[in-house]
Amino acid sequence: RVYPFALTLPSEDIQLLSNIEMRGTEHDKMKFLRISDFLGMSDQCVPSLKRAFHHATSGRYLDLPQEIREWEGDRVNGAAYLARKAVDLAAAHTQSGELSEDELSTAQSIAILRPSMVPIVNAMNEFDRQVKHEGYGQIERVKDELLKSLADE
């Protein structure tokens, strides 16, 4: 199993890594990885490790469409507007299929980008819940119902 610790080291101080040692743990080895290597790793990990990593880094390392990244950068509009836009984006970019334990749905990825905006997180959780219940063929209907409920609030 892999138990991560995040360290930010200047690239010129890479020799610092040789000074880091494990003490008082049950683990028998330590390995340093670049973030890209960690995210591409197929070794057995702690359950939902990559998902937790994306939460902790507010989605900075998620591979998302540019349209979603532009939405993330909106610092003008409020949570209500952004929640409605998030529903549109989730509907436009959600793909059918099973996700592994570490994979995030499009809606979960969107929620991670603005975790302090509760209306967005709630809308994305509800989007996922309804799509899982109704099926991927009903995404437009789920979107329309959520947008109506967000407009009524």
Side-chain angles (χ1 to χ4, degrees):
R1 290 195 180 267
V2 174
Y3 296 88
F5 295 90
L7 303 171
T8 303
L9 299 173
S11 58
E12 63 272 6
D13 289 335
I14 200 73
Q15 292 179 354
L16 288 175
L17 297 178
S18 63
N19 295 329
I20 298 173
E21 61 183 69
M22 294 188 306
R23 292 187 191 170
T25 72
E26 72 275 10
H27 310 300
D28 57 358
K29 80 176 190 177
M30 175 171 43
K31 182 177 179 182
F32 292 94
L33 299 170
R34 296 190 184 287
I35 290 172
S36 58
D37 294 337
F38 162 67
L39 293 175
M41 168 174 100
S42 61
D43 294 346
Q44 186 180 10
C45 293
V46 173
S48 299
L49 176 61
K50 291 177 187 173
R51 178 185 296 254
F53 171 80
H54 288 305
H55 276 280
T57 58
S58 298
R60 185 165 74 197
Y61 299 99
L62 287 169
D63 183 22
L64 295 170
Q66 183 61 33
E67 187 179 18
I68 293 174
R69 288 294 180 189
E70 288 170 5
W71 170 89
E72 174 190 20
D74 185 336
R75 299 294 186 252
V76 174
N77 293 296
Y81 171 84
L82 291 172
R84 290 188 298 274
K85 182 68 175 163
V87 170
D88 284 330
L89 290 169
H93 294 284
T94 293
Q95 312 236 336
S96 64
E98 290 294 315
L99 298 172
S100 74
E101 188 174 357
D102 266 335
E103 289 180 298
L104 296 165
S105 68
T106 301
Q108 292 167 338
S109 297
I110 291 170
I112 284 175
L113 299 176
R114 301 302 284 271
S116 64
M117 293 188 153
V118 176
I120 295 168
V121 175
N122 289 345
M124 295 298 90
N125 287 339
E126 184 60 17
F127 181 88
D128 262 358
R129 189 191 70 72
Q130 286 190 30
V131 167
K132 285 175 187 166
H133 182 262
E134 302 292 331
Y136 289 96
Q138 299 298 315
I139 286 177
E140 284 301 311
R141 189 183 65 69
V142 168
K143 177 186 104 171
D144 292 343
E145 285 181 11
L146 271 174
L147 289 174
K148 183 179 181 317
S149 73
L150 288 169
D152 292 343
E153 292 180 0

